[in-house]
Amino acid sequence: MRLNITVLPGDGVGPEVTREAVRVLRTVLDLYSCEVSFEEHTIGGTAIRQFGTPLPEETTRACMQSQAVLLGAVGGPEFDSLPAGQRPESGLLALRQALGGYANLRPAIAYDAIADCSPLRPEIIKGANVLIVRELLGGIYFAGPRGFESGASPSAYNTMRYSETEIERVAHIAFQQARMRHRKVTSVDKANVLETSQLWRKTVTRVSREYPEIKLEHMYVDSCAMRLITHPGSFDVILTENLFGDILSDEAAVISGSLGMLASATVGGKVDLYEPVHGSAPDIAGRGIANPLGAIASAAMLLRHSARLEQAARDIEDAITEVLDAGHRTADLSPGSGRSGDLAQRGRGRRVVSTAEMGALVESAVADVTDRRRAYHAV
Ligand code: IPM
Ligand code: MN
């Protein structure tokens, strides 16, 4: 098999973390005798600086011709004053539309080794493993009319709109994911106020009849925001619309302890897109201290969904767990980053490593994991 992947490092810490994800991908694909080629292109602020647009045509063309796209992050403070359509973020939104993936899968996992990085008590997050399925191409992000209106008191407006078809297709993805997990879907909406949510609830309920083995519950988004913090272990798959999913997925990062840990896969379109959930983090960019594990875990998702190499994906995920178990931490995971408490205790046995060191650690762990598993199966 031969894989061709377009890499879009983007802005801020994007290039630093994607470099490590590519390094791990190269190694694991080599272990699986899979040929791979990477082609780098620009997006976001980097593209604005170089080509005057956040999504150059050449980038879109390259992405459309590849089997998967691995993206770092976009955005930066220097572009904050630009109008919405010219900002780095609009490049990402246009790319998502071009690729066509409407289901954004965002897992949030509690890793035992870094439980102390979470502001939540360890007994609350223990064993939590939530998959947020966020609708990615509809809702208030893309619908019109939108804009500004001048007047005595200038106003601005956006439109939240969903069609049944848009809801159905993402609901199917959520139920299919739940089938491979703990068979529960929590559909999140604001049906007590919004028409879009009423249609959402009705449509999801109808789709659920095709999945009798899956338990479906409905929850209002405000209530879900609270339960994610108080009872994260009570969720399996959360299915929700674009904006709610954007907000809830950042919130879900407290389960893992750092936004730097979270990965995502956008599936269902012509070409699937993989990106860490974190942003460009301009405050720490270029210092080699960003956490590459979200990007590396996104690479694992790429192997699972785009390359159908489930075992290779698991090898990467196991390698991440091993590296954390061994006490290696990037700065965001270092003692003091989570709940207050006995810092000396939390610091014990921990070693703070750079972005590149973390990448190298996962790379060598993945080789070990694969070797060990193969040796085990050979006897
Ligand atoms: C995310 C980001 C993006 C979003 C921004 C950068 C446009 O916050 O992927 O969650 O809102 O979707
Ligand atoms: Mn977001």
Side-chain angles (χ1 to χ4, degrees):
M1 189 177 46
R2 188 182 170 82
L3 258 184
N4 60 79
I5 300 174
T6 303
V7 182
L8 308 178
D11 307 324
V13 298
E16 299 164 56
V17 298
T18 41
R19 194 175 304 131
E20 302 315 314
V22 167
R23 170 214 290 249
V24 173
L25 271 179
R26 272 193 205 285
T27 298
V28 76
L29 285 168
D30 189 46
L31 289 164
Y32 280 80
S33 311
C34 176
E35 269 182 61
V36 62
S37 62
F38 295 97
E39 201 180 300
E40 244 184 59
H41 286 272
T42 56
I43 191 169
T46 319
I48 294 176
R49 255 183 254 117
Q50 222 174 312
F51 301 103
T53 164
L55 183 65
E57 256 171 52
E58 188 195 304
T59 298
T60 313
R61 204 173 315 122
C63 290
M64 297 307 288
Q65 283 166 5
S66 58
Q67 279 147 290
V69 178
L70 182 68
L71 183 134
V74 298
E78 53 182 297
F79 307 102
D80 280 353
S81 55
L82 290 177
Q86 291 167 33
R87 294 167 56 123
E89 288 82 356
S90 72
L92 175 57
L93 296 177
L95 177 69
R96 286 175 180 170
Q97 269 186 311
L99 300 180
Y102 51 84
N104 181 219
L105 314 182
R106 299 189 158 186
I109 301 163
Y111 295 90
D112 286 339
I114 54 167
D116 60 356
C117 295
S118 174
L120 303 178
R121 287 197 304 277
E123 68 270 24
I124 288 184
I125 53 171
K126 180 119 190 99
N129 186 328
V130 186
L131 175 68
I132 298 184
V133 177
R134 168 187 176 193
E135 198 294 321
L136 204 65
L137 288 187
I140 200 162
Y141 270 63
F142 292 101
R146 60 192 294 158
F148 296 95
E149 228 165 58
S150 49
S153 170
S155 59
Y157 55 95
N158 294 89
T159 304
M160 192 186 270
R161 176 183 288 273
Y162 267 105
S163 71
E164 232 173 52
T165 316
E166 286 173 312
I167 301 167
E168 274 165 11
R169 61 185 190 178
V170 71
H172 280 292
I173 301 274
F175 287 111
Q176 285 157 13
Q177 288 295 315
R179 239 184 211 160
M180 296 182 273
R181 298 170 49 97
H182 291 101
R183 298 195 196 84
K184 183 179 165 192
V185 170
T186 305
S187 175
V188 174
D189 61 40
K190 187 72 185 167
N192 48 347
V193 177
L194 304 175
E195 282 80 358
T196 43
S197 284
Q198 286 155 16
L199 181 67
W200 183 277
R201 198 172 271 225
K202 201 172 104 193
T203 308
V204 171
T205 304
R206 182 160 36 72
V207 171
S208 78
R209 296 198 193 109
E210 294 176 47
Y211 303 87
E213 74 280 25
I214 311 289
K215 184 176 155 30
L216 169 68
E217 68 178 4
H218 298 280
M219 198 177 281
Y220 294 138
V221 63
D222 46 356
S223 170
C224 177
M226 189 192 71
R227 283 192 65 85
L228 253 183
I229 302 291
T230 55
H231 299 82
S234 68
F235 293 100
D236 180 24
V237 173
I238 291 179
L239 163 65
T240 194
E241 66 89 42
N242 205 344
L243 181 63
F244 297 163
D246 178 47
I247 298 167
L248 294 176
S249 58
D250 267 34
E251 188 193 0
V254 299
I255 296 170
S256 296
S258 168
L259 195 51
M261 294 299 301
L262 264 51
S264 92
T266 301
V267 301
K270 291 193 202 80
V271 182
D272 294 339
L273 169 67
Y274 301 87
E275 46 177 325
V277 173
H278 65 73
S280 58
D283 51 325
I284 60 161
R287 292 165 55 194
I289 60 170
N291 184 351
L293 295 179
I296 293 171
S298 302
M301 295 186 88
L302 183 157
L303 294 180
R304 171 169 296 125
H305 297 277
S306 289
R308 307 267 162 221
L309 290 172
E310 174 63 30
Q311 190 58 60
R314 286 198 192 168
D315 288 350
I316 295 182
E317 289 159 354
D318 290 349
I320 291 174
T321 306
E322 281 198 7
V323 167
L324 293 173
D325 285 347
H328 304 291
R329 304 283 183 270
T330 40
D332 56 316
L333 302 174
S334 53
S337 59
R339 289 192 326 130
S340 58
D342 184 348
L343 293 189
Q345 178 67 29
R346 291 160 46 161
R348 218 187 295 157
R350 312 295 156 83
R351 202 167 72 82
V352 176
V353 299
S354 68
T355 309
E357 282 170 322
M358 188 54 108
L361 284 161
V362 177
E363 183 186 18
S364 78
V366 92
D368 288 350
V369 167
T370 312
D371 275 358
R372 241 184 292 129
R373 194 174 33 71
R374 287 182 180 168
Y376 177 81
H377 286 294
V379 290

